[in-house]
Amino acid sequence: MQYGYQEANYGYGNAVAAPSNAGAPKPLDQLPRLARDTTAENPWPVSVVSQKYHDAVERWPASWVEGQIVEINMRRSTSGYITLRDNTQDISMSVMGFRNFVAMAREFKQGERVVIHGKPEVWVKATRLSFIADDIRRVGAGDLKAQIDELRKKLKGEGLFDAENKIPLPEFPRCIGLICAPQARAEGDVITNVNLRWPAVDFVIEHVHVQGAQCPPEVVQAIRKLDDDPRVDVIIVARGGGSFEDLIGFSDENVVRATAACRKPIVSAIGHEDDWTLIDLAADLRASTPTDAAKKVVPDVREQWQLITNAWQRMNLRMDALVGNEQRLIEGYANRPSLTNPSTMLEPHQRLVDDAVQRMRYGLTRIIDDAGMTVEKLHASLTAMSPQATLNRGYAVVQTADGHVLDNAADASVGEQLSITLHHGTLLAEAKGQMGGKHIDTGD
């Protein structure tokens, strides 16, 4: 079976020789035939060793290999790569396949348990061993991703991932509880970035195993310990990137339950942005990386100073505007004629009073004039009807002793005392008789 590799012809048949010292290659018959015959003075060249590896591996038979896919790349149609990990031990191998194998492997995904058929191959140029595959099949339904998905559905049904159970992070934490591996890069990333953003924060650090069988119980214990620590305001669980199997401990049911039950806000920062574990769903906040967790847990002191500066500037602008408005209002009041010349405040009222007095005068004058004219008319009428007017024209009024006006001579008795009122003065007379039946002699 050919897998795309060709043996190089270096002039030694199936091997290539290179001397240990400078100069022309040794003839094939001068090189040791077996590995036990090599010496420091007469070694095999690297090319010979690589070719011998190739020749030895090429004689190995094809076989079926079982393991779990931790990495898979089938983007190209001509070739694909898989990293296959042992089901129980931390041992991996590289698997390579070509067109037919790529077509079969496209439907597989990370985490699945598979059996692969193929044959070992050594790439001479790099003396690298690969497993050249030509067939791939699933092993049952017990792959880890399926198990984790089943656990996810179970815990979600219990409400462990519900949004209403999430606890908001403190805006300005004073102490951060950090769970990570000892001397891990994740620890340095978190501490460095937190100190750069908010230097006033303290740390309580719990070192745990972040993969393997010891990971889940230690993480659970660390979460509970930090949750009970009164100094801690928020907890970060941090780990750098790794394979699906490396991160499997953070999908453990006990870890997820401890995270959901934590009374303090907890942030998961496991792996890289594309890595997901069940602790991410139970945590109050998921960060894509440990560095991202540091940025989400504490504010940036520069941003806070800028916010304070902006608020202070806005406050000053508003105070200046308020004071300016009040000053302009006061200046407007001060420049009003009513304040610069207070008498102007009385002018409208004075004009009103003056107009009222004038109208009153006009009205009273008119009333008086009308009354005067009426009096004059009545006086004229009275004067015209007054006996005095008659007297003024030369007539006289004759009255009897009892004051009765005598208008008929026949009404006067002879010898009766009469008073005669003239224009000026009054005369006393006595009736002597009538004259021509009409004249009365006054006797004076």
Side-chain angles (χ1 to χ4, degrees):
M1 179 179 293
Q2 296 295 323
Y3 298 99
Y5 296 108
Q6 295 182 355
E7 298 177 4
N9 186 359
Y10 298 98
Y12 299 101
N14 292 333
V16 177
S20 59
N21 52 2
K26 288 185 178 181
L28 182 61
D29 56 0
Q30 296 183 12
L31 292 176
R33 188 176 65 86
L34 301 175
R36 63 172 178 266
D37 297 330
T38 59
T39 63
E41 292 76 18
N42 193 16
W44 277 345
V46 172
S47 56
V48 172
V49 175
S50 180
Q51 188 64 48
K52 286 185 177 291
Y53 285 176
H54 175 273
D55 295 342
V57 171
E58 192 175 30
R59 292 192 293 269
W60 293 359
S63 61
W64 287 94
V65 179
E66 180 181 358
Q68 188 174 47
I69 297 175
V70 294
E71 289 182 288
I72 182 168
N73 183 348
M74 296 294 161
R75 297 187 182 93
R76 297 173 59 183
S77 61
T78 57
S79 62
Y81 302 90
I82 291 177
T83 300
L84 196 66
R85 181 181 181 273
D86 188 81
N87 292 330
T88 58
Q89 300 187 36
D90 190 12
I91 301 175
S92 302
M93 66 178 294
S94 297
V95 178
M96 181 178 180
F98 299 98
R99 291 184 183 276
N100 294 336
F101 178 78
V102 171
M104 289 186 291
R106 284 187 185 279
E107 62 184 63
F108 290 82
K109 57 186 178 180
Q110 186 184 38
E112 289 186 304
R113 290 178 56 191
V114 294
V115 290
I116 297 177
H117 183 269
K119 190 176 185 300
E121 174 81 7
V122 173
W123 185 28
V124 175
K125 287 186 176 295
T127 317
R128 187 172 63 201
L129 178 66
S130 295
F131 191 78
I132 308 301
D134 53 27
D135 194 0
I136 181 171
R137 301 176 189 179
R138 284 187 176 86
V139 176
D143 69 277
L144 288 177
K145 280 205 169 181
Q147 295 176 20
I148 291 175
D149 192 55
E150 289 298 322
L151 179 60
R152 178 188 63 80
K153 293 177 182 178
K154 171 188 172 183
L155 298 179
K156 182 179 181 181
E158 296 180 15
L160 267 64
F161 307 150
D162 291 350
E164 56 267 22
N165 296 330
K166 305 298 183 183
I167 304 173
L169 270 63
E171 188 172 5
F172 303 104
R174 293 171 297 178
C175 182
I176 297 174
L178 178 59
I179 301 174
C180 60
Q183 299 179 347
R185 183 176 178 181
E187 178 180 351
D189 289 345
V190 171
I191 294 176
T192 299
N193 284 277
V194 166
N195 287 333
L196 288 175
R197 293 173 62 84
W198 200 251
V201 175
D202 294 327
F203 284 91
V204 177
I205 301 175
E206 291 292 327
H207 290 135
V208 298
H209 285 84
V210 293
Q211 68 183 65
Q214 295 173 286
C215 173
E218 290 186 4
V219 171
V220 170
Q221 183 181 0
I223 290 175
R224 292 172 178 170
K225 182 177 180 180
L226 293 177
D227 194 22
D228 293 334
D229 193 329
R231 298 172 297 172
V232 176
D233 298 317
V234 61
I235 301 171
I236 298 176
V237 182
R239 187 206 191 282
S243 65
F244 176 79
E245 290 75 16
D246 293 339
L247 306 180
I248 199 68
F250 294 95
S251 292
D252 182 83
E253 182 174 357
N254 292 329
V255 172
V256 177
R257 291 188 181 279
T259 302
C262 187
R263 300 183 301 274
K264 294 177 180 176
I266 186 166
V267 178
S268 65
I270 308 301
H272 298 304
E273 187 170 358
D274 295 334
D275 296 325
W276 279 90
T277 58
L278 293 187
I279 194 177
D280 297 325
L281 303 177
D284 299 297
L285 181 68
R286 188 251 178 183
S288 58
T289 62
T291 299
D292 183 50
K295 294 179 180 179
K296 290 182 176 180
V297 168
V298 295
D300 190 336
V301 65
R302 292 177 293 272
E303 293 178 359
Q304 296 301 314
W305 272 118
Q306 189 61 48
L307 290 174
I308 294 172
T309 301
N310 292 341
W312 180 79
Q313 291 175 348
R314 289 196 301 271
M315 181 179 65
N316 280 344
L317 289 175
R318 294 190 66 178
M319 291 297 295
D320 290 343
L322 181 62
V323 172
N325 290 337
E326 295 299 324
Q327 287 179 339
R328 286 189 292 272
L329 185 62
I330 293 173
E331 290 173 358
Y333 286 145
N335 294 329
R336 286 184 177 181
S338 59
L339 293 180
T340 56
N341 186 10
S343 61
T344 58
M345 298 175 60
L346 302 177
E347 289 178 358
H349 305 289
Q350 184 64 47
R351 286 195 297 269
L352 181 63
V353 172
D354 292 343
D355 291 344
V357 170
Q358 188 67 26
R359 288 195 302 271
M360 182 179 66
R361 285 177 179 175
Y362 289 157
L364 289 175
T365 301
R366 189 180 302 111
I367 291 172
I368 292 173
D369 289 345
D370 291 343
M373 291 178 64
T374 300
V375 170
E376 288 176 0
K377 288 179 181 180
L378 293 174
H379 183 267
S381 298
L382 182 61
T383 300
M385 295 185 295
S386 174
Q388 185 65 38
T390 303
L391 295 176
N392 291 341
R393 292 195 300 271
Y395 294 95
V397 177
V398 180
Q399 294 175 302
T400 61
D402 56 3
H404 180 72
V405 176
L406 188 64
D407 59 357
N408 190 348
D411 294 334
S413 302
V414 175
E416 185 177 1
Q417 295 293 323
L418 302 172
S419 62
I420 302 171
T421 302
L422 302 176
H423 177 64
H424 294 289
T426 300
L427 296 176
L428 294 177
E430 182 181 348
K432 297 292 187 178
Q434 297 182 0
M435 294 180 64
K438 297 178 180 179
H439 177 72
I440 298 177
D441 185 7
T442 62
D444 290 329

